[in-house]
Structure formats: C-alpha cells, structure tokens
Amino acid sequence: MPGGEGARGQAGTWDTLGYAYHHLGDHPKAVDCYRRSLRLNRVLGHRYNEAETLVHLSHTHRATGAIGAARETLRQALALYREIQAPDAEVEQVRALLAELPQSARSAVPRSGP
C-alpha cells in the first residue's frame, strides 16, 4: 500500500499527466491518469486532492461527450468539498461547472466509476 510523500508525489504526477494528455487530445490516457491519481489520493486520504482530480476528470469526460460521467464526477467533487469545508470559491466553481452542463445527458456513467 502506498504511503508517505512518495505516493503523494505520484498522485500529483498522475493528475498532471492527465492534464497534459487531456490538452493533447488523448482523452483515454487522460482518464487513465486521473483514475490512477484518484486511487492514490483515496488510499492516502487526501480528500481535497481527490476532489480537484475529480474536477479535472470531469473536464475530460465533458470533452468526450460523456456528460453523464462529467456530471457524476462533479457531484462527487462537490460532496467532497462540502465534507472537508473547502473554501466557498471551490464549491461555487463546481456548482458553476455543473450548471454549464447540458441537461439532456444521454451518456451513461461508466460502470467502473470515476
């Protein structure tokens, strides 16, 4: 089981790689990197970083047209931000992203989860 600063660094690195792949247009690799970051952040108990990565993952889901998955990841991020009492700006940012999503999402949330 990962632990310590090495695992924290790995979680951050996976998130950064996800961001890079997203902006290169390689969305499947971006999703994989974000999911790796999420797994590590969950093991480490880093709820804030987990929420941030969920927001990043939602951008990739939205870019691929998986609006249902984007909505679900944003809802998870919002719940985490509220749970950890994140700054209001963080909560409002996620609320705004949710409001921007099309309402008629026909894309299913992947069964494997975010």
Side-chain angles (χ1 to χ4, degrees):
M1 182 160 104
E5 290 301 311
R8 182 178 185 191
Q10 288 175 20
T13 299
W14 283 117
D15 184 70
T16 301
L17 285 170
Y19 180 86
Y21 280 123
H22 172 89
H23 288 280
L24 289 170
D26 193 338
H27 298 118
K29 282 187 181 175
V31 168
D32 179 59
C33 290
Y34 287 139
R35 287 183 175 161
R36 288 172 186 252
S37 177
L38 283 171
R39 278 193 295 274
L40 285 169
N41 280 314
R42 287 172 178 153
V43 166
L44 294 167
H46 292 161
R47 311 289 279 166
Y48 183 84
N49 294 343
E50 180 183 346
E52 279 191 317
T53 300
L54 285 164
V55 172
H56 300 161
L57 177 58
S58 78
H59 293 301
T60 301
H61 284 318
R62 182 175 181 170
T64 63
I67 303 303
R71 182 173 287 111
E72 180 58 28
T73 55
L74 286 170
R75 286 178 179 157
Q76 290 176 31
L78 186 58
L80 282 170
Y81 279 148
R82 286 177 177 156
E83 181 182 313
I84 63 172
Q85 300 178 343
D88 290 341
E90 303 282 357
V91 172
E92 290 307 315
Q93 174 194 14
V94 174
R95 282 188 183 145
L97 290 169
L98 275 165
E100 291 172 6
L101 291 175
Q103 294 303 312
S104 60
R106 294 188 180 162
S107 303
V109 176
R111 290 184 185 260
S112 62

